[in-house]
Amino acid sequence: MALGVLFYCVSLLVVSVECCVPKSIQAQVPVEIKPGYIISQVPVVQCQIKGRQVTSSDGHFAVQSDGTIVAVGDTTVTAQGKTFLLRGEDKSGRRWRMEVHLSPEPDQGRIQVPWRNRFAQTGVERAPSKILRRTKRRWSPLPFSIREEDVPPFPKDVELVGSDSSVNFTVFYEIRGQGVTMVPLNLFSVNRDSGMVRVHYRVDREQYPKFVFQAHVFDRRSGIETDLPLDITVLVEDINDNAPTFSGPLNFSVFEHCRDGTQIGEVMSTDRDQENTLHTKVRYSLLSGGEFFTIGPNNGQILAKSSSLDRETQVIHPVIVEIRDMDGAPKGLFNTATAMITLKDINDNPPTFRQTSYKTTVQENKADVLILRIPVDDKDEEKTPNWNAKFVINQGNENGNFRIDTDHKTNEGLLYVIKPLDYERAHAVKLMISAQNEAPLVDPKATWLSVPVDVNVVDVDEGPEFTTPNLVIRVKENTPNGTLLSTYTALDPETNSNKGIKYYTVSDPGSWISVGETTGELRVANTIDRESPLVTNGAYTIKVKAVDSSQKTGNGTVTLLIEDVNDNVPKIVPGTDMSLCEGDKGHMGSVVIKAEDSDLSPYSAPFHFTLPEGNDGKWRLTNIKNESAVLQQVVDMSRGVYQVPVRVTDLQDKGGVQVLNVRVCGCVAGECVAARSSSSVGIWGVLAMLLAFLLLLLLCLLFVFYCTTKADKIYLDDSSGGMLLKSNTEAPGEEVKSANLQMFSDTVDSSLKSPGLMGMMDQSKGVSSAPGQLFSQNSVTLRESMYQTKNRQDFYAAQNGASDFYANNTLMKQSQASSTLSALHTWKTNGLYLDKKVGYLVGVSEERYAGDTVRAYGYEGEGSPAGSVGCCSDFGDQDNLDFLDSLGSKFKTLANICTEKK
């Protein structure tokens, strides 16, 4: 019944604590109450009660932090029952009290339930007598809590843990995990018998906000766990042991003269204590700078308090800011820092002049000269648009004689004269100059300052000046020579007279105008032609100068605007030679005629094209436009050139007959074939001609090479197949002449020198043979007489004989030839080539056949296996020719040439 009243009261929560906490509760309990037995529960959460400050009048009972009323010692309940009081206070400090009435249960077999567990099945049932009844549960504890940085002595009790298995077994408890067997080690321990958890030293919540470890229960006899392990959570209750700290930048900026309430910046802070508590609720305040700034107590926003912030007075404002937790309570922890507030510049100060007026002088006729520097001061920030000055001439510069710039280094105004001043016109000029900034003034009512400047003009002696700098005269072209166009005179500005002034022409490209030296009269000197290249857009310019008695000069310009006259006739362009494609299948050919006239309208186009009277009727003009017409055939014409007269006149009917030379030709792709063939040779034609020339040159070189090579070849024997060629590849070792070759050469030479043969040659002077000719058929007889010896001994014996023998033998053989003259001429030619190709082996000397003299041979890298190849060794044993088989490859080739192959 008491528990039902408790839950009823909790469900009807009101503001009053007396209504939230019942004045008394009743509960039925066993007669024998063991430690850990749960009696009931106080609604500490719903009524905002400080559970750890609830006290019991009976030491056998205690109230945990969650409001659970639990037995902490053995006690007995008599039949009359047992009563004790619970006292405490709520969060606002109001005190309360509640009576707890215990009565013995009628059923003593009920099992004790020591703890409530949020992970176990729980239930509450109402008895008819409204006495609270509880169902069986396993583990009991909710999260425990300990106080951060708790003060000694240690250890201190935390809470009891209990298991339902203690009813059936004699158990003991152990805890493991964080704070016990894991870092931080040995912070918690448990009483093995009672299950009381203890804490052994102080804890920092900012380092360990909570601990989770496991509770185990074991049977004392068997050592076996009698229940499943349970996770125990121990929360560390926060204390205000950390002062708030600044976490953001403390440098802010704002424009000067900003409005009241302008947000400047926000001060940021952090607190390591538990969030959403008074320990972390920070209040902001300013310890200095309150006359210009304010700060939001809860959000830290700094605001401008006054619009009188002036950067020119103070640029940076240091402001001391305090942050204090516990919502600013005096006992709260705090920190201070200095925030720097910089005022940004605005253009609230115009430039000011250092003087109230300025004066300066300048000579007349001077230009592009600096005459004055005007300094200014500005309080705004330097080198910014609010400080950079620009100057404006408000008055006195109507003629554009002055210009004022800014010196960006000194911020001064630079006054220049850009157009010469004339003393005779004005002795002084008064200017009004204002100084401004690149940026506009913030205050729209403020104005820029101005200063007067007096410019005095200094008189100088100057040359004459023409009445007008540029005299414009209209004149028609072809105006007769000597015609007076105008008078161009000058005056001395000092005397305002033209006395003593003379005039001269400075520039007259066409010499069209003459200038009177003393009068300044402008007369036509030569024909004025508007179509001249000297005329630009119908204007012709002349430069004239005037010189006074002091030789000072003044310049003037005369511009002739030339009016056009009809002095040109239309001309057909680009010429009178034209080409026309002959007609095809009844279509007559045509050509476009274009004309042009140098005159302007109305003396030029549109032109009138006509065929003069008496034309042959073969042509007609069609499609006549402003400057063109189409000349078309009327009848078919053969190809050729035709002369066609055409009369062309301008708009004033001025013109004449022009004869066109029209070529009628066949066309391909609209192009006249004849014209195309007569055109210049293109690049491909030039390349083709060059290629043909190169081929011809190559062919000539081939013929020369062929003829030269053919002359160098001399066939010695039909059976041997060898020939003598030039050998320029090696030293004298390759050109060794054996005695055999020497005898052969001498034989030919002697044969040619014999009287009989020479006589026959004299008779055959009329017979000619080409140089380099090979042995002819007539020369075979001689070769056969030389090489058809029966054996080698006869051949060598013939070599040892006199040359006359060979000569006579040769003549006798030659007499048997059928063509004597041809053979003689061939022998002469072959003798010359043999002498050139073979040469003498020994050379010309007194002992012509002394073949055993010492000779130099080229070194070929190794000794010859055949020994010496001189004349002595060659003829030492004429019967034994076996040495030829032991000669090298080069000497075998020589032997094959000199000996007859069997």
Side-chain angles (χ1 to χ4, degrees):
M1 177 179 179
L3 188 58
V5 174
L6 176 62
F7 279 99
Y8 176 76
C9 185
V10 170
S11 63
L12 299 175
L13 288 174
V14 292
V15 180
S16 174
V17 177
E18 289 78 10
C19 179
C20 183
V21 180
K23 293 183 178 180
S24 64
I25 60 173
Q26 294 182 357
Q28 289 185 347
V29 296
V31 176
E32 298 292 335
I33 299 177
K34 299 295 183 181
Y37 185 84
I38 295 176
I39 306 300
S40 184
Q41 191 170 19
V42 178
V44 295
V45 177
Q46 295 85 344
C47 299
Q48 299 182 354
I49 296 173
K50 299 179 180 180
R52 292 189 55 84
Q53 296 183 7
V54 177
T55 60
S56 174
S57 61
D58 191 338
H60 296 88
F61 304 96
V63 179
Q64 294 183 334
S65 59
D66 61 348
T68 302
I69 305 172
V70 61
V72 295
D74 295 332
T75 183
T76 302
V77 179
T78 64
Q80 288 77 19
K82 190 176 184 65
T83 301
F84 60 92
L85 292 177
L86 297 179
R87 296 182 179 87
E89 61 181 17
D90 59 10
K91 190 173 184 180
S92 60
R94 290 176 294 185
R95 297 182 179 182
W96 58 270
R97 56 180 291 177
M98 182 177 66
E99 294 182 355
V100 180
H101 301 281
L102 303 180
S103 59
E105 292 180 348
D107 184 7
Q108 294 297 319
R110 179 179 179 269
I111 300 177
Q112 292 186 1
V113 182
W115 287 102
R116 177 180 59 86
N117 181 9
R118 59 174 174 171
F119 302 104
Q121 296 293 331
T122 62
V124 177
E125 60 181 12
R126 297 179 184 272
S129 60
K130 296 184 180 181
I131 299 299
L132 294 178
R133 294 184 178 273
R134 301 173 59 87
T135 60
K136 178 181 178 181
R137 294 171 297 175
R138 293 175 50 249
W139 288 92
S140 58
L142 289 172
F144 301 156
S145 62
I146 60 175
R147 185 179 179 84
E148 177 188 16
E149 301 294 345
D150 203 355
V151 296
F154 289 99
K156 292 187 177 183
D157 293 342
V158 179
E159 290 289 356
L160 285 171
V161 295
S163 172
D164 293 342
S165 62
S166 62
V167 177
N168 302 320
F169 301 93
T170 301
V171 298
F172 66 91
Y173 298 93
E174 289 184 359
I175 56 175
R176 303 169 188 170
Q178 185 185 18
V180 184
T181 59
M182 298 172 60
V183 178
L185 298 173
N186 302 321
L187 175 61
F188 298 102
S189 66
V190 64
N191 188 301
R192 292 172 56 89
D193 299 328
S194 64
M196 176 61 70
V197 177
R198 294 184 176 88
V199 60
H200 292 268
Y201 52 87
R202 63 178 60 189
V203 180
D204 184 7
R205 191 205 67 86
E206 285 68 44
Q207 184 178 5
Y208 300 104
K210 69 176 181 178
F211 298 91
V212 178
F213 52 86
Q214 293 78 35
H216 300 266
V217 57
F218 300 91
D219 182 17
R220 287 184 180 274
R221 295 179 180 179
S222 62
I224 300 175
E225 285 193 72
T226 60
D227 207 341
L228 296 176
L230 177 67
D231 288 338
I232 304 297
T233 301
V234 178
L235 302 178
V236 181
E237 295 180 355
D238 183 45
I239 64 172
N240 191 20
D241 59 340
N242 292 280
T245 58
F246 294 92
S247 61
L250 294 176
N251 295 319
F252 309 103
S253 62
V254 66
F255 284 104
E256 61 176 332
H257 298 294
C258 61
R259 294 181 180 180
D260 183 12
T262 301
Q263 182 175 345
I264 299 173
E266 183 177 354
V267 177
M268 309 294 293
S269 65
T270 58
D271 197 318
R272 296 182 60 195
D273 292 325
Q274 188 172 357
E275 297 179 359
N276 301 322
T277 65
L278 287 175
H279 299 165
T280 56
K281 188 173 183 180
V282 178
R283 181 171 290 271
Y284 302 84
S285 61
L286 296 181
L287 301 183
S288 67
E291 65 275 17
F292 296 111
F293 309 99
T294 61
I295 189 170
N298 298 320
N299 53 25
Q301 291 184 356
I302 299 177
L303 307 177
K305 185 178 180 180
S306 173
S307 60
S308 60
L309 292 171
D310 188 5
R311 192 201 69 87
E312 287 71 39
T313 302
Q314 184 176 354
V315 178
I316 300 176
H317 290 262
V319 178
I320 300 176
V321 181
E322 179 190 84
I323 51 177
R324 186 183 292 268
D325 60 15
M326 299 299 292
D327 198 17
K331 295 182 179 180
L333 303 179
F334 66 92
N335 261 320
T336 60
T338 301
M340 308 301 292
I341 302 177
T342 303
L343 299 183
K344 295 188 292 184
D345 185 43
I346 62 174
N347 194 15
D348 57 338
N349 295 281
T352 58
F353 295 97
R354 297 180 183 177
Q355 297 179 206
T356 57
S357 64
Y358 294 90
K359 292 183 179 181
T360 184
T361 59
V362 62
Q363 290 183 350
E364 64 173 335
N365 302 322
K366 291 288 185 179
D368 297 324
V369 292
L370 175 66
I371 62 174
L372 183 64
R373 299 181 74 95
I374 305 175
V376 293
D377 297 319
D378 198 320
K379 295 180 181 180
D380 292 321
E381 185 176 359
E382 295 185 4
K383 307 301 181 182
T384 65
N386 300 331
W387 179 85
N388 296 334
K390 65 177 183 178
F391 298 86
V392 179
I393 303 176
N394 296 328
Q395 296 178 7
N397 194 30
E398 288 76 10
N399 296 327
N401 297 96
F402 302 93
R403 184 188 80 240
I404 188 165
D405 298 332
T406 303
D407 187 337
H408 297 291
K409 293 182 178 179
T410 62
N411 215 29
E412 294 177 319
L414 307 177
L415 182 62
Y416 291 89
V417 173
I418 59 174
K419 184 177 178 181
L421 295 170
D422 190 359
Y423 176 82
E424 286 69 31
R425 293 185 179 181
H427 298 340
V429 179
K430 292 185 178 295
L431 302 177
M432 185 63 69
I433 298 176
S434 68
Q436 305 176 7
N437 292 126
E438 295 178 358
L441 287 174
V442 175
D443 187 358
K445 298 180 181 180
T447 59
W448 305 111
L449 302 179
S450 300
V451 65
V453 177
D454 294 335
V455 181
N456 296 320
V457 183
V458 179
D459 185 27
V460 295
D461 186 12
E462 51 191 346
E465 295 180 356
F466 282 95
T467 54
T468 176
N470 187 6
L471 177 63
V472 179
I473 303 174
R474 290 187 175 273
V475 60
K476 289 187 177 183
E477 61 177 334
N478 301 324
T479 299
N481 293 348
T483 301
L484 178 63
L485 300 180
S486 181
T487 300
Y488 194 32
T489 59
L491 298 176
D492 188 340
E494 311 297 332
T495 63
N496 201 23
S497 172
N498 60 1
K499 185 178 180 180
I501 298 177
K502 294 184 179 181
Y503 306 93
Y504 301 94
T505 301
V506 177
S507 173
D508 186 0
S511 300
W512 290 353
I513 303 299
S514 64
V515 180
E517 182 176 351
T518 59
T519 61
E521 293 181 346
L522 304 177
R523 296 181 180 272
V524 178
N526 286 296
T527 302
I528 299 175
D529 185 8
R530 186 189 175 282
E531 289 74 36
S532 172
L534 302 176
V535 178
T536 303
N537 296 327
Y540 179 77
T541 302
I542 303 169
K543 300 289 185 181
V544 181
K545 71 176 180 179
V547 182
D548 61 10
S549 58
S550 62
Q551 300 301 314
K552 288 186 171 54
T553 63
N555 296 320
T557 302
V558 178
T559 301
L560 299 182
L561 298 181
I562 304 174
E563 299 178 358
D564 189 28
V565 297
N566 196 4
D567 58 342
N568 294 280
V569 297
K571 294 183 180 180
I572 296 177
V573 293
T576 57
D577 293 334
M578 300 181 179
S579 297
L580 181 147
C581 294
E582 61 182 349
D584 183 20
K585 297 181 180 180
H587 297 285
M588 298 300 163
S590 63
V591 65
V592 178
I593 303 173
K594 293 184 178 180
E596 64 180 18
D597 195 332
S598 300
D599 294 327
L600 299 176
S601 180
Y603 306 120
S604 60
F607 302 132
H608 184 56
F609 297 86
T610 59
L611 295 177
E613 296 181 359
N615 64 81
D616 54 7
K618 297 180 179 180
W619 307 91
R620 64 183 175 188
L621 292 172
T622 62
N623 197 19
I624 300 175
K625 297 182 179 179
N626 287 340
E627 298 179 352
S628 65
V630 176
L631 179 64
Q632 189 177 30
Q633 291 176 285
V634 177
V635 297
D636 291 335
M637 301 179 187
S638 60
R639 299 181 181 179
V641 179
Y642 298 86
Q643 293 184 343
V644 182
V646 177
R647 186 173 185 273
V648 185
T649 58
D650 58 17
L651 193 60
Q652 307 299 327
D653 200 28
K654 185 175 181 180
V657 177
Q658 303 178 46
V659 178
L660 303 181
N661 295 320
V662 182
R663 177 189 297 272
V664 179
C665 58
C667 295
V668 176
E671 184 180 357
C672 185
V673 176
R676 182 174 59 181
S677 62
S678 64
S679 61
S680 60
V681 179
I683 185 173
W684 293 109
V686 174
L687 293 177
M689 294 172 62
L690 290 176
L691 182 61
F693 176 75
L694 292 176
L695 291 176
L696 181 61
L697 180 62
L698 181 62
L699 183 61
C700 293
L701 293 176
L702 182 62
F703 274 117
V704 171
F705 176 75
Y706 174 75
C707 294
T708 304
T709 306
K710 182 178 180 182
D712 289 342
K713 297 179 181 179
I714 302 177
Y715 292 89
L716 296 179
D717 189 12
D718 293 338
S719 60
S720 65
M723 62 180 70
L724 290 178
L725 299 175
K726 288 183 179 181
S727 176
N728 297 330
T729 59
E730 294 190 15
E734 280 292 321
E735 298 173 355
V736 174
K737 302 178 182 178
S738 69
N740 296 330
L741 291 178
Q742 177 183 354
M743 292 300 299
F744 179 76
S745 176
D746 292 342
T747 301
V748 175
D749 183 72
S750 300
S751 300
L752 292 175
K753 293 180 179 180
S754 62
L757 185 57
M758 294 300 294
M760 296 179 66
M761 292 173 65
D762 293 337
Q763 297 176 4
S764 59
K765 289 181 180 180
V767 181
S768 61
S769 178
Q773 172 182 336
L774 301 177
F775 282 131
S776 65
Q777 183 65 30
N778 297 325
S779 64
V780 177
T781 306
L782 177 61
R783 287 188 307 211
E784 289 178 353
S785 66
M786 295 174 61
Y787 291 104
Q788 287 181 356
T789 307
K790 296 301 181 179
N791 53 55
R792 297 179 182 271
Q793 296 176 355
D794 296 337
F795 177 76
Y796 286 108
Q799 289 182 340
N800 294 327
S803 60
D804 293 337
F805 169 77
Y806 288 98
N808 295 331
N809 189 25
T810 303
L811 291 175
M812 183 171 58
K813 294 289 184 178
Q814 185 66 27
S815 64
Q816 299 176 1
S818 59
S819 301
T820 304
L821 294 177
S822 177
L824 290 175
H825 191 275
T826 301
W827 268 107
K828 182 179 179 180
T829 303
N830 291 340
L832 293 175
Y833 274 90
L834 288 174
D835 185 74
K836 178 181 179 181
K837 296 295 180 179
V838 180
Y840 294 106
L841 296 175
V842 199
V844 179
S845 62
E846 294 180 359
E847 297 180 358
R848 186 179 184 86
Y849 298 105
D852 55 346
T853 59
V854 179
R855 285 165 172 74
Y857 295 94
Y859 178 66
E860 298 179 351
E862 60 182 0
S864 174
S868 175
V869 292
C871 64
C872 298
S873 61
D874 192 18
F875 293 98
D877 186 3
Q878 300 180 0
D879 296 332
N880 186 6
L881 302 179
D882 294 336
F883 71 92
L884 297 175
D885 297 330
S886 60
L887 296 177
S889 59
K890 297 182 180 179
F891 291 96
K892 286 183 179 182
T893 303
L894 183 63
N896 291 335
I897 296 174
C898 300
T899 60
E900 179 183 6
K901 293 182 180 180
K902 297 290 182 129

